[in-house]
Amino acid sequence: MQSSAITGRGRVQQNLPPSVENTMKTCLVLPPLLLLAACQGPSPYVADGKPLPPAPAAAANHFDRSAYPAAPRDYARYRDWAWRTPPAGSAWADPALVSEAVAGGLDQRGLRPVRSGKPADLLVSTELSVQTRQYQVRDDYGSYYGHGPYGDHYGLYGNVPLVRTYEVEVVVVRIDLFDGEQPVWSGSAEARSEGSQSERADALRRAVEDALGAYPPD
């Protein structure tokens, strides 16, 4: 027979028989034990993999440079230069004038002609070509239609655009720098081809200065 008692807080506490109480304790303890036993059992999944094939014998002595970014070029180590191919010149400028203009432009960039008996840090080649450029100029011409100041004071103002196209011959100067056989830098600029011999020489020097304006690169 079950008995009950009133606790100090007014709640009824029932006294269960020992057999029932033991059964409830067993039900509470048994599931965690079963779960723990399942975790400690052997896994049904078995790792199965094939080993990697051995590397080829040549791989130990081969270095793939394309897998790594190229190191930045140190242009500060270039101090002197020599002609890779002497300038041929053209009808617009003789070879001596081209050599003088290019040598002066390189000197402004801190590059000096190489001393005899020493390999040059840079090899230089230059090329001149005459090309034609087309330019367009637009002019707006206006007209007024109407009465004079003593008339009805009305009128119309209109713009008539006039586009003129003309051609200009220019000389393109191209300068290439090589480290041995490897090209390391290139630049080009152009100059107007008309004028006297002295005007052409000045234009060539300005073109060389513009072509070398981005050397050394940032």
Side-chain angles (χ1 to χ4, degrees), residues 148-166:
Y150 302 101
D152 295 332
H153 301 286
Y154 68 90
L156 175 66
Y157 184 86
N159 289 329
V160 180
L162 177 62
V163 179
R164 295 181 291 111
T165 302
Y166 63 96

Side-chain angles (χ1 to χ4, degrees), residues 3-120:
S3 61
S4 59
I6 299 177
T7 61
R9 295 184 179 180
R11 291 186 303 176
V12 177
Q13 181 178 5
Q14 295 182 350
N15 295 325
L16 300 176
S19 59
V20 177
E21 191 172 342
N22 293 335
T23 302
M24 294 180 63
K25 291 182 179 180
T26 303
C27 294
L28 294 175
V29 175
L30 186 57
L33 293 177
L34 294 176
L35 182 60
L36 181 61
C39 294
Q40 294 179 351
S43 174
Y45 303 99
V46 179
D48 184 14
K50 296 181 180 180
L52 294 175
N61 300 324
H62 175 70
F63 177 69
D64 186 8
R65 296 183 180 274
S66 63
Y68 299 90
R73 186 174 299 276
D74 182 15
Y75 287 89
R77 67 185 181 89
Y78 298 130
R79 301 296 182 86
D80 50 35
W81 64 277
W83 288 112
R84 185 172 186 257
T85 303
S90 64
W92 187 79
D94 57 50
L97 179 60
V98 177
S99 298
E100 177 189 355
V102 174
L106 294 174
D107 186 77
Q108 293 180 0
R109 297 297 180 272
L111 297 173
R112 307 290 186 262
V114 65
R115 297 179 180 178
S116 58
K118 175 183 177 298

